[in-house]
Amino acid sequence: MREFDYRRASDIPGALALLGAEPEARYLGGGTNLVDLMKSGVERPALLVDVRELPLDRIEVADDGGLRIGATVTNSDLAAHPEVRRRYPALTQAVLAGASGQLRNMATVGGNLLQRTRCAYFTDLARPCNKRLPGSGCPAVEGEHHNHAILGASPHCVAVHPSDMGVALAAFDAVVHYATEDGPGAVPLAECYLPVGDTPHRETALPAGALITGITLPPAPVAAASHYRKVRERASYAFAIGSVAAALDVRDGTVRDVRLAFGAVASRPWRAHTAERALIDGPATAEAFAAAADAELAAAEPLPGNAYKVTLIRNLVVAVLTELAEETRRTEETTR
């Protein structure tokens, strides 16, 4: 590991100034991803700016009924917060599915969204990787890619974004807030992650040196009836091979509102807008759910080793939406 300096920031302007003064500096939150990458040599910062003590560790109900979530809120605190559990249960489920309790106690919301891909070629310095060394190639295309992207990829990179939390946040139209030395800014989560294209090393639309300060979730009544379902190759805290965050509002058997996002299928959490449009004002049936999933997945371009993901995501969509529709039906019956 390269020798590095360490500074602890006490306020946001101080953190920005420390990072701005050192071109090879990185912000340090929980360190659950960054420190691992430093050990492997993928990340080699000259300075770590510790932001854990910044006043960004609160979850508050906004005036409009949404939520404000600070960037240094730990995953454990996010999952346990009563308003998150009540208003956005899929978000709680996604966080709890994401890691062990020990990691959740350390990991932060901001760091979770900025974690790097877990592609084995990315973390192996002996192999080429366009994300790590632009222009060197993507060996996963012809090599091991069973857990790689089926949507929105390119010949330059087929890695997937590993965040479970991000999938639920994408389903509920989260907005990322950040600070720079030029002032604050905000970007919808859907626009925060850049398309892969031919520059996979450019992962986000955040300005250089930006510090994520928090996430806002707009009010979404449909989110109160939501689930997150994750499939992984082992039960013990593995990364997803496919996941779905879904929320459903059904009245008299008709879909009035729906939110869908997929995980482990693209370089970013994948909001399934095509499927949502196909479901609105239609019947809440397994057949309709399957047809909507097929419409979304028509754009999939799987590689030989990961074509199973198309069927997997389709089945997950049907299973989760059917479960939510059945829960609504039972609630309606008990309130009559």
Side-chain angles (χ1 to χ4, degrees):
M1 181 187 293
R2 175 187 182 183
E3 290 187 2
F4 60 90
D5 195 7
Y6 169 89
R7 301 287 296 276
R8 182 176 296 167
S10 58
D11 54 41
I12 293 173
L16 294 170
L18 285 169
L19 198 87
E22 171 52 70
E24 297 184 5
R26 294 290 305 274
Y27 293 122
L28 176 70
T32 56
N33 181 212
L34 176 58
V35 173
D36 282 346
L37 293 177
M38 290 171 63
K39 291 177 180 177
S40 67
V42 174
E43 294 278 6
R44 294 174 55 83
L47 169 66
L48 293 182
V49 179
D50 191 334
V51 298
R52 285 296 292 267
E53 293 190 2
L54 299 183
L56 302 172
D57 61 348
R58 299 187 64 184
I59 300 174
E60 301 172 313
V61 178
D63 292 339
D64 63 2
L67 288 183
R68 292 192 294 265
I69 303 167
T72 63
V73 169
T74 67
N75 289 11
S76 291
D77 287 346
L78 178 65
H81 197 279
E83 292 301 325
V84 176
R85 295 168 66 91
R86 182 171 70 88
R87 298 167 186 255
Y88 307 91
L91 178 55
T92 288
Q93 295 165 13
V95 173
L96 293 176
S100 68
Q102 294 92 332
L103 287 173
R104 292 196 300 270
N105 289 341
M106 288 295 296
T108 62
V109 169
N112 184 286
L113 296 179
L114 293 179
Q115 62 184 303
R116 308 293 301 276
T117 176
R118 275 10 188 236
C119 174
Y121 297 105
F122 173 70
T123 56
D124 183 356
L125 298 185
R127 307 296 295 273
C129 172
N130 285 325
K131 191 178 287 287
R132 177 167 36 78
L133 184 63
S136 61
C138 178
V141 173
E142 299 293 335
E144 173 55 53
H145 53 246
H146 81 284
N147 195 25
H148 286 61
I150 60 172
L151 291 165
S154 84
H156 301 280
C157 182
V158 292
V160 297
H161 196 271
S163 175
D164 293 285
M165 177 193 300
V167 181
L169 290 174
F172 303 135
D173 298 314
V175 176
V176 179
H177 297 261
Y178 60 86
T180 70
E181 292 187 295
D182 294 325
V187 60
L189 183 68
E191 300 173 16
C192 185
Y193 300 108
L194 296 173
V196 176
D198 58 1
T199 56
H201 60 288
R202 297 183 61 242
E203 297 179 354
T204 77
L206 296 174
L211 171 68
I212 292 181
T213 55
I215 306 292
T216 54
L217 284 167
V222 68
S226 63
H227 286 327
Y228 180 77
R229 187 72 54 81
K230 174 180 180 176
V231 175
R232 44 193 162 189
E233 292 181 325
R234 66 179 191 275
S236 179
Y237 308 116
F239 293 103
I241 58 173
S243 66
V244 169
L248 186 67
D249 178 11
V250 177
R251 302 178 192 176
D252 299 321
T254 299
V255 176
R256 299 304 182 190
D257 196 3
V258 62
R259 306 292 176 87
L260 276 174
F262 305 157
V265 297
S267 63
R268 61 190 187 277
W270 187 270
R271 181 69 179 272
H273 289 294
T274 299
E276 292 175 350
R277 289 191 293 267
L279 287 169
I280 293 292
D281 294 329
T285 63
E287 292 76 17
F289 300 152
D294 288 340
E296 186 70 42
L297 293 165
E301 296 181 344
L303 297 165
N306 68 2
Y308 73 92
K309 285 194 176 188
V310 176
T311 303
L312 173 63
I313 295 297
R314 181 183 192 270
N315 290 346
L316 279 176
V317 169
V318 174
V320 176
L321 290 179
T322 299
E323 185 175 301
L324 288 168
E326 180 61 22
E327 289 176 1
T328 299
R329 184 189 65 79
R330 290 197 298 267
T331 300
E332 290 177 343
E333 288 180 350
T334 59
T335 57
R336 285 174 184 169

